[in-house]
Amino acid sequence: MSGERYTKDHDFLRVEGDIAIIGITDFAQSQLGDIVFVELPSPGKRVAKGEQLATIESVKAASEIYAPISGEVVAINDRLESSPDLVNKEPLGEGWLLTLRIDDAAELEELMDEDAYRAFLESEG
């Protein structure tokens, strides 16, 4: 399976084989405002779907990121330590948060594809 998937919490997953690159969407970063700090888990940490995965702090508030799927953290974007604003500048590119080795590909089926996510955004007004 490949392609991008989205959550109703405005996270995205770019799936490449058994690895998912996880970040927040452009909509999410625009709602947060200027991001000043990103706390990420250590590589090797195992998370179950729905567990807290990361924290993003902006000038407006702190926001928890929950694991959209179960898996093992493979890598984190350590560039965010010195440049958390990358999430604002390129949320779907250089501002990715971490990669996760997918435990159960069936969990991806519960997420939205790009068309469904766009419809979801429009329905939220």
Side-chain angles (χ1 to χ4, degrees), residues 38-51:
V38 178
E39 181 179 354
L40 299 171
S42 299
K45 179 178 180 175
R46 297 198 63 79
V47 293
K49 179 180 175 183
E51 284 185 15

Side-chain angles (χ1 to χ4, degrees), residues 19-88:
I19 301 293
I21 300 168
I22 297 174
I24 64 172
T25 64
D26 187 56
F27 176 83
Q29 70 80 23
S30 69
Q31 294 296 303
L32 286 169
D34 293 337
I35 294 170
V36 295
F37 181 75
V38 178
E39 181 179 354
L40 299 171
S42 299
K45 179 178 180 175
R46 297 198 63 79
V47 293
K49 179 180 175 183
E51 284 185 15
Q52 183 179 339
L53 190 57
T55 302
I56 296 178
E57 292 182 23
S58 71
V59 294
K60 292 182 180 176
S63 181
E64 307 298 333
I65 305 297
Y66 297 98
I69 58 173
S70 303
E72 177 184 353
V73 176
V74 176
I76 60 171
N77 186 352
D78 52 12
R79 292 180 61 196
L80 299 179
E81 186 174 320
S82 60
S83 301
D85 59 327
L86 281 174
V87 178
N88 289 118

Side-chain angles (χ1 to χ4, degrees), residues 1-2 14-21 69-72 74 99-105 108:
M1 174 176 280
S2 64
R14 184 171 302 119
V15 180
E16 296 177 356
D18 66 342
I19 301 293
I21 300 168
I69 58 173
S70 303
E72 177 184 353
V74 176
T99 63
L100 200 66
R101 186 176 315 282
I102 301 166
D103 274 354
D104 183 1
L108 295 169

